[in-house]
Amino acid sequence: MSRLSVRNLVADLRERSAPVASGAGSAYSFVADRVRPWFGTVTSIGWGVLLLGALAWVAATALGWIEAAVVAMAALFLLIGAAFFMIGRTRLAVATVVEPPRVAVGQALTGELRARNEARGPLVSTSLEFPIGAGGVTYDLPMLLPGAEHTELFVVPTQRRGVIDVGPVRTVRGDPLGLFRRVQEWTDRTEVFVHPRTTHLEPFGVGLVRDLEGSTAQNTSMSDLAFHALREYVPGDDLRHIHWRSSARHGQLLVRQFLDTRRSHIVVIVDSSPMSYDSEDEYETAMSIAGSLLRRGILDEFDVSFATGDVLMVRATAASGGGRTALDACSRATPQHTSLIEITAEAARQAPDASLVMLVTGRYPEFVTLQRAAGQFSVDATTVAVRVDSSQRAGFKAIADLPMITLPDLDQLPVVLSKGLSG
């Protein structure tokens, strides 16, 4: 037989066996898809009983031990008996409602869980596992007739700032011995934001650059919208800004001069290093100060940016729901071993147009560190440092052109801040 004939024979055999292989593969996939979920329901205890039974059966077969055969049969009966508890399917419609999804620290927050039986037959008593944050609750549903609904109320803890995961709601089906366990999720995970406690601040106005609807800065410009005065023409001035009527009246060329009008951009930076604070409470006070500043900036319709160790930069405006976005970032923030210099450098890179920078830190960073952090921003930006120190009285002072505010708690912020910005 020639080499060409052999090749043709092999190709023909492959072509004929392809449908058989395809059918075998489809059958294997079908069986595997049906069997795999069952293996997933076996617990570690169940696998231990199965292994014990297999070893006992091998010992009984190889060595003729009657005791080992008894152990193998007992393991088999245990597995078969426990498997009967897994027969059947749970058909539920579960929904959770948490309102509002955003609260401040200490505000009451409750929710509602509703479960409805969508099976054709009655639903026997079953358990619902409901994770809430680091903990959770378990609800034992009573027997529900087809279409019947059961409602439970729950409380979400809001004593601490953070993001709380609510759900997903799960049903757990298993046997009394714990050999099998089937978990089924019925809802998605929902995030509840617990914003830091904030205090009311007066509108930012003094010493700040405002947008066209607010006050203007005192920096003169030759190409803006707020007309300021006329001055004599000097070589190099744009001829388009010559005021011809006034020039004719005074017998010399006069040009328009404007005031700089830029949109205010407030950048709030929180030192995330745990080494900067004396306690966790002082760090939480710093986050509350940041939240109060961001909230006031949004109410004044400024652009606001928030930066800390694990939140390098979040920029928002009032039009884009900035209050929610900025305060959500405050909720997510956690202490990180990131230096204040690194945070301010990144913030200055992403917000070169900052008009007001608030550096919030603890009692331990040296003044030189604060100076270096403030120096990352433009000289046109007003920079204010805020120290949280529960051992000191509230006060304000300016050291080497850097305004410094000391606060023992959040309640002193409105008075001292207004003094600092106006001074």
Side-chain angles (χ1 to χ4, degrees), residues 348 352 354 374-383:
Q376 304 284 342
F377 290 88
S378 169
V379 293
D380 295 331
T382 301
T383 306

Side-chain angles (χ1 to χ4, degrees), residues 134-218:
V137 293
T138 300
Y139 296 111
D140 293 323
L141 295 181
M143 186 179 70
L144 296 177
L145 297 176
E149 186 174 274
H150 181 76
T151 302
E152 294 280 356
L153 299 179
F154 59 90
V155 178
V156 179
T158 60
Q159 289 79 13
R160 302 290 293 179
R161 173 191 59 85
V163 181
I164 301 175
D165 292 331
V166 177
V169 179
R170 301 187 291 256
T171 53
V172 180
R173 191 165 188 168
D175 61 277
L177 298 179
L179 303 182
F180 296 95
R181 174 185 170 91
R182 183 169 65 202
V183 179
Q184 192 169 359
E185 296 184 352
W186 299 97
T187 63
D188 296 327
R189 180 174 60 90
T190 304
E191 289 185 334
V192 175
F193 292 88
V194 181
H195 292 162
R197 185 172 70 92
T198 59
T199 186
H200 175 73
L201 300 177
E202 293 299 323
F204 294 135
V206 180
L208 300 181
V209 180
R210 296 295 301 271
D211 58 17
L212 297 181
E213 297 177 355
S215 60
T216 55
Q218 299 305 312

